[in-house]
Structure formats: structure tokens, C-alpha cells
Amino acid sequence: MTHQILVSDPISEEGLQSLTTHPNFKVDINTGLSEDELLKIIPDYEGLIVRSQTQVTEAIIKQAKNLKVIARAGVGTDNIDIEAASLQGILVINAPDGNTISATEHSVAMILAMARNIPQAHTSLKNKEWNRKQFKGVELYQKTLGVIGAGRIGIGVAQRLQSFGMKVLAFDPYLTEEKAQQLGIKLATVEEIAQHADFVTVHTPLTPKTKGLINAEFFSKAKPTLQIINVARGGIINEQDLIHALDNNQISRAALDVFEHEPPTDSPLLDHEKIIVTPHLGASTVEAQEKVAISVAGEIVDILEHGNVTHAVNAPKLNYNEIDEDTQQWINIGQLSSELAIQLLEGAPRAIKVTFNGDVANKETDLITRSIVTRVLQQDLGERVNLINAIALLNEQGVAHNIEKQASQGAFNNYIQVDLTNDTEEVKIGCTVISGFGARIVRINDYSVDFKPNAYQLISYHGDQPGMVGLTGQLLGKHGINIASMSLGRNIEGGQAMMILSVDQPVPSETIDELYQLGGFDKLYGTSLTLPKN
């Protein structure tokens, strides 16, 4: 049988050799196709290889009757409709490691170019000007580098700049004190990096947690000499806040390879005299492009010839195609419980424990566990986490995991509990599925509760005293936040209490600050959950 593969974007032909020379594969390279042109030919292919130019839309995926795998020769998959591919049973893969060295080296190049005003000096001299005083730079030696996101690229940048004599502060939710000491760097918070760093480099995925992570508050705490770069993802640095900080001399310089909207055709960032820019070149080296082509070509062969999957972005090809409705309910409530747990935990977990009680212990516990772990890790690692790689990534981050199955049923016929722990605290979320009432969360830490997960919640810990519910409702009403339902719990009368308000709108941090000012609240959390689609 011959597998037909379409390459619709420019890809290193040397890297595709494992496909082009394979007797069972026929590869067509046809770039620059419009959506209409792609719609006409896509039914003929089992595999599609793209970079960032081809937009793999829902319409294309629905038309791709024989397509089994879409490969992104790179990391980001923003140009692929992942959900539509998953629903069609099409595997989406990428090459997450191929550009590590290139992105690392480009980050170092951006820092050096920024520190020594190289682009500006180059342009000036090309214009026959000789302005040595205007382009006086700064040394990296004995300066402090702040690394936000200590994965492969972040650590790679840190190690290279340590050779310049730089001291390194690093923030990453999964970076331990022990690992930091081994690397010769100091563990720090984002706030500490803002206060002490001379240079900052960003290397996190773009998630709801990291969007706008570098913002006006960060710049207000920074040294006026701070220089910052972003070769990770646009949106991690708030672009308007960055311009304001530069215009008001809160920081000194910036260098950007990525932008919130690409290409940034009308962006004021492009003309700002204190910002140097490159057009998303982090992975644009001959070596990186060859590596990612080799990676996706080899994996396509592995998938279509042997059924092996390594770098899946989604997971429709696991042996879980026939999931009964009851098991799906447990998957859904397990995901919601873990998503809630990670939002209530301060910092990243160092251990995850999942306990199954009752008949649910005899179901697809591996799939349920993987679903739980995926939701936990996605809060910090983003879309790269899926059912296939969740456990491997958990091990890579050094997070211990333990699964317990108990026949005893306790208060509920079936019950799952998710425990997340780190060095400072533990969060426990218990859930069940009740016949006629559906999935419920029935435990938060030491409190018995009963609520149906909603898109948005306000959760409070406070003293068990009259008036707390009324005060909260009044303030939410003032801000136009409607309460859908309420669940209350307490340990003893007059002791500590918990209130869970399901609300129709997200609760902004400013509203939470106002609630704290009313007094009586120990902790408040505005949570959001990804509800399953019907």
C-alpha cells in the first residue's frame, strides 16, 4: 500500500528524505495553495505536512476523507484546527525539540544586539553617520539575568550567559531548589526578577496564566536600566504596557521576535527607537528547519507503518475510541476537579495522587488519570500537554504521581479524589457522579460541599459568621456579576467556613481585592473551568 503525503509549505527537502526515499510513500510538494485549491486535492492524502503558512481549517479537515495525520514542522500549531482534527480522528503532531538550539542562540543574539545597540549603530553607519557616543552600550559581565520559564530553551540561554559572567535568577513553577542549585542559578519569583534583574528573557508557553505576565505592574517594580527580550510567544509581554514603560523611562530597552498579532504590520513597536525587532526568526536556521523536517517525516513513517506516536498535539489515536457514556462522565468530572485543584494550589505541584473508590476503580482508570494529569499540567505547560505525553511530561517535571484503587465505597457508591501537594500546602478535590443529578464536586480540602461545576466560580475561606454571604452578593451585584448557585460548608459552628458561588461572569482581581477590604475573608479565588461540550 502506498501512503500519499502532501507538503503544502516550504520544508527542508533534505529533512524529508525518510519519506521521499521510502518505497511505501509518495510525497507531493505543492506550496502556496489557496484554501479552495487545498479543498479540491486534500481527499487524496493520508498525511499533510505544514509550517505556519497553510491554515488547516475545519472545512479542509472535513473534506480530508482519508487524512490520518497532520504534521506541523515546528512547535506552534495555531494554524491548525486541533478540535476539528480530533473530532475527525486525525492525529496532529509537531516537532517540539527541533528548534531548541536555534531559539536559544537567537535569544542570546537579541540580548547582545540590544545591549550594544548593534541594529541602530548599523543603520546609522550605513547612512554615513559616525555617532560613537550615541550608541554607547552596557556590558553583560556581572549583570543579573532574569529567566522567566526554565525549560530547555530558558536553561540553555542561562548556561550560555553564565559564561559571560552573568548571575541568573530563574522562575519556573516546576523548577526545584535542588535543580536550580545544580545549574548554578537562583530560584526567584517573577516579582523578585522584576526588582533585581538587569536583563530579562521570557521562555514560557502562552497560556491564560502567562498572557500579560509581563505587564505594567512588573515594569513599575523594575530598574530603569532593565532590558527585556521575548523570543517565546507574543502576548506574554503586554505590548501597550511595554511601550508605556519605555516612553516613561521605567525600563531601558526591549527586543522582540514575537508579537501578539503577526505580522505586526501597523504596530507602534516597529517604529519605537528603544525596541529592536525580528520577524519571528527563533527557529529560522538551516539546521533547525532540517531537524524539524527529519522529526515529522520520521514520525509520519512510524505512525502510518507501525502505529507508533511520539509527539502528538492531540490524542484521537489511543485505544479509547469506544468510550461509554458513564466513563466519559468520569473523565469530564476528573478533568474539572483537577483543573479546580491546580487553581487553588499556590505554585506547582510536586506530587499528584488520584484515588478511585468503588466501581469506578474498575473502569478506564488509565484514561481518567491521564485526563486529570493533562489538565493539571496544561495550566503551566499549555497545549503541548495531551493524553499521550501527560505522564512522560509529569516525570520530566519531576512530579511524583501515585494511583490508588479502593473497593470500599464510603459515603458514595463511586468517588474520585485528586490530591495535589507541594512544599507548602495540599489541595484535595473529591468528585462523584450521582444518578439523576450528574457530576458533582463533593469535597474541597476538609470541607464537604455539593456543587455542579460551572464556567466561573468565586470560592472563599472565611470565618463562620453572619453576613458574609450578603456582603459578597451585594458587592458582586454592584459589579454586575450574577450568582447562579451557591454551596456552603464549614468545619464546626463558629469555626472556619467555605462558600462556593457559581457565577455567570469571571470575577476580576479588582473585585476580589474589594472583597478582601470588607474584612473577614481569609482566602478568595476566582476560578474558571473548561466545561465539556455537549
Side-chain angles (χ1 to χ4, degrees), residues 32 42 152 196 318 368 413 484:
I42 197 64
R152 290 188 182 95
H196 301 294
L318 288 171
I368 297 170
N413 291 335

PDB file of all heavy atoms in Angstrom, residues 32 42 152 196 318 368 413 484:
ATOM      1  N   GLY A  32       1.982  27.112  -1.473  1.00  0.00           N
ATOM      2  CA  GLY A  32       1.276  28.323  -1.888  1.00  0.00           C
ATOM      3  C   GLY A  32      -0.156  28.106  -2.312  1.00  0.00           C
ATOM      4  O   GLY A  32      -0.740  28.924  -3.033  1.00  0.00           O
ATOM      5  N   ILE A  42      -7.170  17.677  -1.131  1.00  0.00           N
ATOM      6  CA  ILE A  42      -6.869  17.052   0.161  1.00  0.00           C
ATOM      7  C   ILE A  42      -7.477  15.659   0.326  1.00  0.00           C
ATOM      8  O   ILE A  42      -6.907  14.817   1.039  1.00  0.00           O
ATOM      9  CB  ILE A  42      -7.283  17.984   1.340  1.00  0.00           C
ATOM     10  CG1 ILE A  42      -6.608  17.541   2.651  1.00  0.00           C
ATOM     11  CG2 ILE A  42      -8.793  18.032   1.497  1.00  0.00           C
ATOM     12  CD1 ILE A  42      -5.114  17.647   2.663  1.00  0.00           C
ATOM     13  N   ARG A 152      13.926  23.863  28.380  1.00  0.00           N
ATOM     14  CA  ARG A 152      15.170  23.622  27.652  1.00  0.00           C
ATOM     15  C   ARG A 152      15.783  24.917  27.119  1.00  0.00           C
ATOM     16  O   ARG A 152      16.982  25.142  27.225  1.00  0.00           O
ATOM     17  CB  ARG A 152      14.916  22.656  26.492  1.00  0.00           C
ATOM     18  CG  ARG A 152      14.614  21.223  26.907  1.00  0.00           C
ATOM     19  CD  ARG A 152      14.574  20.323  25.672  1.00  0.00           C
ATOM     20  NE  ARG A 152      14.230  18.943  26.021  1.00  0.00           N
ATOM     21  CZ  ARG A 152      13.002  18.459  25.969  1.00  0.00           C
ATOM     22  NH1 ARG A 152      12.003  19.248  25.608  1.00  0.00           N
ATOM     23  NH2 ARG A 152      12.750  17.202  26.290  1.00  0.00           N
ATOM     24  N   HIS A 196      15.187  42.892  40.613  1.00  0.00           N
ATOM     25  CA  HIS A 196      16.644  42.740  40.682  1.00  0.00           C
ATOM     26  C   HIS A 196      17.337  42.523  39.340  1.00  0.00           C
ATOM     27  O   HIS A 196      18.559  42.687  39.256  1.00  0.00           O
ATOM     28  CB  HIS A 196      16.998  41.581  41.617  1.00  0.00           C
ATOM     29  CG  HIS A 196      16.477  41.757  43.012  1.00  0.00           C
ATOM     30  ND1 HIS A 196      16.929  42.743  43.857  1.00  0.00           N
ATOM     31  CD2 HIS A 196      15.524  41.067  43.710  1.00  0.00           C
ATOM     32  CE1 HIS A 196      16.287  42.663  45.016  1.00  0.00           C
ATOM     33  NE2 HIS A 196      15.426  41.656  44.954  1.00  0.00           N
ATOM     34  N   LEU A 318      -5.454   6.956  20.514  1.00  0.00           N
ATOM     35  CA  LEU A 318      -5.287   5.997  21.600  1.00  0.00           C
ATOM     36  C   LEU A 318      -6.329   4.888  21.447  1.00  0.00           C
ATOM     37  O   LEU A 318      -7.299   5.020  20.710  1.00  0.00           O
ATOM     38  CB  LEU A 318      -5.479   6.692  22.950  1.00  0.00           C
ATOM     39  CG  LEU A 318      -4.352   7.636  23.394  1.00  0.00           C
ATOM     40  CD1 LEU A 318      -4.798   8.400  24.623  1.00  0.00           C
ATOM     41  CD2 LEU A 318      -3.077   6.880  23.688  1.00  0.00           C
ATOM     42  N   ILE A 368      -8.701   8.045  32.618  1.00  0.00           N
ATOM     43  CA  ILE A 368      -9.170   9.074  33.545  1.00  0.00           C
ATOM     44  C   ILE A 368      -7.973   9.769  34.194  1.00  0.00           C
ATOM     45  O   ILE A 368      -7.931  10.997  34.303  1.00  0.00           O
ATOM     46  CB  ILE A 368     -10.098   8.469  34.615  1.00  0.00           C
ATOM     47  CG1 ILE A 368     -11.353   7.891  33.958  1.00  0.00           C
ATOM     48  CG2 ILE A 368     -10.482   9.524  35.658  1.00  0.00           C
ATOM     49  CD1 ILE A 368     -12.232   7.061  34.890  1.00  0.00           C
ATOM     50  N   ASN A 413     -21.251   5.711  46.235  1.00  0.00           N
ATOM     51  CA  ASN A 413     -21.024   4.447  45.550  1.00  0.00           C
ATOM     52  C   ASN A 413     -19.750   4.474  44.720  1.00  0.00           C
ATOM     53  O   ASN A 413     -19.048   3.478  44.600  1.00  0.00           O
ATOM     54  CB  ASN A 413     -22.218   4.130  44.632  1.00  0.00           C
ATOM     55  CG  ASN A 413     -23.467   3.799  45.423  1.00  0.00           C
ATOM     56  OD1 ASN A 413     -23.372   3.352  46.568  1.00  0.00           O
ATOM     57  ND2 ASN A 413     -24.623   4.027  44.824  1.00  0.00           N
ATOM     58  N   ALA A 484     -25.287  32.240  40.040  1.00  0.00           N
ATOM     59  CA  ALA A 484     -26.139  31.182  39.501  1.00  0.00           C
ATOM     60  C   ALA A 484     -26.555  30.192  40.588  1.00  0.00           C
ATOM     61  O   ALA A 484     -27.693  29.728  40.626  1.00  0.00           O
ATOM     62  CB  ALA A 484     -25.425  30.445  38.373  1.00  0.00           C
TER      63      ALA A 484
END
